[in-house]
Amino acid sequence: MSRTDDRLIVALDVPDAHSGLELAARIGDAVSFYKIGLGMLTGGGLALARELKDEHDKRIFLDMKLFDIGATVEAAVRGLARFDLDFLTVHGDPHVVRAAREGAAGSATKILAVTILTSLDRGDLDASLIRAGDLADLVVERAGRAFEAGADGVIASPREAALIRALPQAAGKLIVTPGVRPAGAALGDQKRVETPAAAIGAGADHIVVGRPVWQAADPRAAAQAILAELP
Ligand SMILES: O=c1ccn([C@@H]2O[C@H](COP(=O)(O)O)[C@@H](O)[C@H]2O)c(=O)[nH]1
């Protein structure tokens, strides 16, 4: 059986596993890859991951954005890798990525490193005392360092995807982009945004889309419309 185009990852940012399962059932075979994030941590997110994977043959991206001392990250990733996840996120700091690599050893879980959140702009970085300079340059630099530390891929906005794809260290690595909006869709809190077609055209392997799908009156049709515009 051929899988649905898994370049689209739908963020299941609903409060609990029950709502997540209902949403996935409404979307049906239009989507084969789901992201479960921090908002569902206390709502049965891991149980949902297991059920979608084992009972519904979906791919799972667990977006935990882990950040801690190396030993703690390694232990957390070792435990989470037992859930047979496809993707797991950690912060892009090299010590975190190295620890996550150790924790994921022997599993098929790919470690994705968050560069700079797509909801941030230069003003937000200033407020957080992040080094001055062009935001895209910082994203590309963090991506390069994360790759060198062993990340299987990075999370960045579609605006930086082409620059990251051009890095020699990016060969064979994944670029996954949230911050994706169909033309005319509300941005919400996203600040560095492009359309689905532009993101894939810039070199993203996967796009992550949440609210434009799960808040739609017809989430299946919304997902299908996004897939239809991919080059
Ligand atoms: O830099 C990042 C990293 C992760 N996210 C997550 O992706 C989805 C996006 O949801 P939308 O509703 O399409 O904005 C959400 O779960 C974030 O936690 C991100 O947006 N940016």
Side-chain angles (χ1 to χ4, degrees):
M1 190 181 76
S2 69
R3 256 188 193 281
T4 313
D5 186 342
D6 72 356
R7 290 178 297 172
L8 171 62
I9 302 176
V10 170
L12 288 176
D13 288 331
V14 290
D16 53 44
H18 178 73
S19 331
L21 213 50
E22 264 184 6
L23 180 60
R26 286 180 74 193
I27 295 173
D29 62 3
V31 168
S32 61
F33 211 157
Y34 285 106
K35 183 177 91 67
I36 295 172
L38 289 168
M40 214 197 272
L41 196 56
T42 55
L46 284 173
L48 177 64
R50 189 153 263 169
E51 178 149 6
L52 286 175
K53 183 114 202 166
D54 295 349
E55 309 297 328
H56 302 274
D57 194 29
K58 304 298 183 187
R59 302 187 72 198
I60 298 297
F61 168 5
L62 191 71
D63 189 13
M64 289 290 108
K65 300 184 185 73
L66 298 172
F67 181 70
D68 209 317
I69 63 169
T72 304
V73 170
E74 183 179 336
V77 172
R78 182 163 294 119
L80 290 169
R82 295 196 193 102
F83 285 79
D84 196 21
L85 307 166
D86 293 282
F87 296 167
L88 174 64
T89 46
V90 299
H91 277 240
D93 308 59
H95 84 275
V96 175
V97 175
R98 277 193 295 273
R101 259 276 51 86
E102 286 297 314
S107 80
T109 300
K110 293 197 183 304
I111 299 299
L112 304 184
V114 178
T115 55
I116 293 178
L117 293 171
T118 56
S119 58
L120 304 182
D121 61 15
R122 185 59 251 184
D124 297 309
L125 301 192
D126 292 342
S128 297
L129 305 180
I130 307 285
R131 195 181 86 199
D134 183 63
L135 189 151
D137 290 344
L138 295 180
V139 170
V140 172
E141 201 177 329
R142 271 177 73 78
R145 290 184 185 200
F147 291 143
E148 285 160 11
D152 298 298
V154 291
I155 305 289
S157 100
R159 297 199 183 160
E160 299 98 35
L163 292 168
I164 296 171
R165 188 48 78 209
L167 286 173
Q169 306 97 305
K173 304 285 187 175
L174 293 164
I175 300 175
V176 179
T177 62
V180 172
R181 288 290 180 269
L187 299 190
D189 51 0
Q190 297 287 1
K191 290 187 181 156
R192 305 196 325 279
V193 171
E194 294 294 342
T195 64
I200 295 292
D205 297 286
H206 298 273
I207 57 171
V208 176
V209 185
R211 286 162 284 189
V213 173
W214 68 262
Q215 289 184 342
D218 184 344
R220 178 179 170 88
Q224 284 172 324
I226 291 168
L227 286 164
E229 81 159 80
L230 299 186

